[in-house]
Amino acid sequence: MAEVLANSVYAVALTGAGVSTESGIPDFRGPSGIWTRDPEAERRAYEVYDKFLRNPVEYWMESVKSPIRDAIERAEPNPSHYALAELEKMGILKCIITQNVDNLHQKSGSQNVIDFHGNVSKLRCLKCGRRYPRDMFDIPKILEEGKIPLCECKYPLKSDVVYFNEPIPQDVYTRSVEEVVKCDVMIVAGTSAVVYPAAQLPRIAKNKPLPASVVEINAEPTPLTVEGISDYFIQGKTGEVLPRIVEEVKKFLAKYK
Ligand code: APR
């Protein structure tokens, strides 16, 4: 399988929460996932977007404290992230489309990262699309003054994180599909591939006129595995498998290129 990557012209990756569990950030639907352990938390998560639209002040009062955001801010990249950053440095991986909001691909040195579900370190305006670094705002102080973070266009800001029922920002969606249409190899790592439209991306890669080779790495089989979207399925921990793939690609390139 390493030769598929070594010979690729335009490889991209789609990553999910599974690449960050070895950084101490729980996933959602794995055996000890957040939704697995607390289905009520998932039900509440479905209400956040509507709450923001109905009452941005209440949304801000409730979201200023977030244990998961604190865990994310403390987290460091793990070998999964560094392996993908290495593949980018080698000129093989052209883009990472991540469903994760933890900024760990960027922290590990990857340059071309699309945050398909947004990024905890940013705020975003639904009206004009502007994004701001979250730490530009002293949110507790703003809330104490009875205000909420506002965009330059005066519309209320929200976290850049894309909530359930919230549309994927158009710029992000368009760029992601462009990358997928261009790719001849797609690595799919650490995702249960059940949340759309992210889960559509490997299907687009596979069903386009010049199908890409889909290389799936996951702790457990997913619908991509079962439906034969994945041409290769490597069952294991991304923090172990991805570094091994990088080594195999390096050996192949040293031998044949
Ligand atoms: N190595 C390989 N696979 C792993 C590892 C690991 N170290 N840890 C967990 N996994 C696998 C799990 O078994 C599971 O199949 O990664 C997958 C993670 O799936 P989910 O928890 O569903 O995460 P993800 O696919 O990213 O979820 C998509 O759902 O809740 C929303 O917005 C949220 O972006 C998220 C989206």
Side-chain angles (χ1 to χ4, degrees), residues 4-20:
V4 166
L5 263 176
N7 289 325
S8 68
V9 173
Y10 202 96
V12 303
L14 171 69
T15 64
V19 302
S20 293

Side-chain angles (χ1 to χ4, degrees), residues 11-244:
V12 303
L14 171 69
T15 64
V19 302
S20 293
T21 52
E22 292 165 75
S23 295
I25 300 174
D27 65 7
F28 297 97
R29 299 174 188 82
S32 52
I34 301 175
W35 305 151
T36 311
R37 287 203 313 260
D38 181 0
E40 185 50 24
E42 184 171 17
R43 197 194 56 71
R44 283 198 305 275
Y46 272 82
E47 293 169 358
V48 177
Y49 182 53
D50 185 51
K51 177 169 296 171
F52 171 77
L53 295 176
R54 269 186 299 106
N55 185 336
V57 174
E58 189 186 331
Y59 160 84
W60 274 107
M61 295 314 275
E62 288 180 8
S63 74
V64 67
K65 277 263 151 285
S66 156
I68 185 83
R69 194 172 56 242
D70 299 344
I72 285 175
E73 277 157 10
R74 282 195 305 273
E76 289 303 320
N78 70 65
S80 316
H81 302 102
Y82 289 115
L84 292 172
E86 176 75 8
L87 282 176
E88 182 187 63
K89 271 196 212 89
M90 291 162 69
I92 291 179
L93 191 62
K94 310 294 185 190
C95 176
I96 296 175
I97 303 164
T98 185
Q99 299 171 83
N100 303 336
V101 299
D102 56 31
N103 210 40
L104 289 181
H105 286 302
Q106 293 89 333
K107 268 189 186 170
S108 66
S110 289
Q111 299 298 309
N112 196 4
V113 180
I114 301 177
D115 291 314
F116 199 74
H117 289 161
N119 190 311
V120 278
S121 69
K122 294 178 188 165
L123 301 183
R124 175 165 44 92
C125 175
L126 289 179
K127 189 155 172 253
C128 71
R130 275 190 189 92
R131 291 179 178 87
Y132 303 84
R134 185 183 184 97
D135 56 19
M136 223 174 104
F137 299 83
D138 180 345
I139 294 171
K141 185 165 173 293
I142 294 170
L143 297 180
E144 257 164 47
E145 294 163 358
K147 297 180 195 144
I148 58 172
L150 295 178
C151 178
E152 287 156 48
C153 77
K154 304 295 173 235
Y155 194 83
L157 289 171
K158 62 175 282 292
S159 166
D160 182 40
V161 170
V162 179
Y163 297 120
F164 287 116
N165 301 323
E166 178 181 354
I168 302 292
Q170 193 51 54
D171 57 343
V172 161
Y173 187 76
T174 307
R175 262 189 72 202
S176 300
V177 172
E178 281 167 1
E179 292 295 330
V180 169
V181 165
K182 274 198 282 194
C183 82
D184 58 340
V185 176
M186 175 183 261
I187 296 172
V188 181
T191 180
S192 59
V194 295
V195 172
Y196 285 79
Q200 192 60 28
L201 298 175
R203 291 169 169 82
I204 294 172
K206 185 74 184 182
N207 296 324
K208 62 192 179 124
L210 268 180
S213 297
V214 178
V215 179
E216 184 182 14
I217 302 142
N218 205 53
E220 59 193 351
T222 72
L224 299 177
T225 330
V226 173
E227 292 166 28
I229 301 288
S230 304
D231 298 288
Y232 303 86
F233 174 63
I234 306 166
Q235 185 154 7
K237 295 175 74 168
T238 53
E240 290 162 12
V241 172
L242 284 168
R244 267 212 338 263

